[in-house]
Amino acid sequence: MTSDSSQTTLLRVAAFLVDAVSMSIVLVLPSAVISYSLAVWMGDSSKAISLVWFVALGVLAIAMLIRDGYRGRSIGKQLFGLRVITPSGEGCGWVRSVVRNALLVLFPIEMLLVLRGKARIGDRVARTTVTEE
């Protein structure tokens, strides 16, 4: 399925950036509106504003963990024709998505493995592979 390892590496990086930026934009706009509204309505309520941003970051972390769960394709992977599959060729599912992405969130050094065209530790632990479709 994979034609060229360096091409797949570039597609994986691009897909990750699309996922991260799109999720951030979807969360930043509503969070900014809500925190601005709270600041106007409640005055200088830094606790409420902090809570809004804390919740937004929590939602972003959860979204990054489960992003590949639906049919093994995040928005970025779908856009670039990639898919996370199990050894049987099925989409990775929600649990495997959390396992493989938790290691990426906990150990950002995993990105170096992707840049070198090697399997991430998260992919090894979750027993998944990223392929081109």
Side-chain angles (χ1 to χ4, degrees), residues 26-73:
V26 166
L27 287 170
V28 167
L29 184 60
S31 298
V33 169
I34 291 168
S35 60
Y36 176 76
S37 301
L38 285 173
V40 169
W41 182 57
M42 298 176 75
D44 185 25
S45 178
S46 57
K47 286 183 182 180
I49 294 168
S50 296
L51 180 63
V52 169
W53 288 102
F54 180 75
V55 169
L57 285 174
V59 170
L60 178 62
I62 291 168
M64 290 300 285
L65 290 174
I66 65 170
R67 67 193 163 117
D68 300 316
Y70 181 69
R71 295 178 26 210
R73 303 179 87 190

Side-chain angles (χ1 to χ4, degrees), residues 5-123:
S5 157
S6 61
Q7 177 180 338
T8 303
T9 298
L10 291 174
L11 291 173
R12 287 182 76 174
V13 171
F16 176 82
L17 291 174
V18 166
D19 291 339
V21 170
S22 62
M23 286 184 228
S24 296
I25 289 171
V26 166
L27 287 170
V28 167
L29 184 60
S31 298
V33 169
I34 291 168
S35 60
Y36 176 76
S37 301
L38 285 173
V40 169
W41 182 57
M42 298 176 75
D44 185 25
S45 178
S46 57
K47 286 183 182 180
I49 294 168
S50 296
L51 180 63
V52 169
W53 288 102
F54 180 75
V55 169
L57 285 174
V59 170
L60 178 62
I62 291 168
M64 290 300 285
L65 290 174
I66 65 170
R67 67 193 163 117
D68 300 316
Y70 181 69
R71 295 178 26 210
R73 303 179 87 190
S74 64
I75 293 170
K77 284 183 182 68
Q78 189 167 355
L79 184 66
F80 291 105
L82 298 173
R83 188 168 184 214
V84 181
I85 60 170
T86 64
S88 63
E90 300 171 351
C92 75
W94 303 106
V95 174
R96 288 180 195 249
S97 178
V98 169
V99 169
R100 71 185 295 276
N101 290 317
L103 289 169
L104 181 63
V105 170
L106 295 173
F107 304 107
I109 196 139
E110 281 222 292
M111 267 309 231
L112 291 176
L113 293 172
V114 172
L115 292 173
R116 290 186 171 185
K118 301 188 186 259
R120 288 182 28 218
I121 297 166
D123 282 322

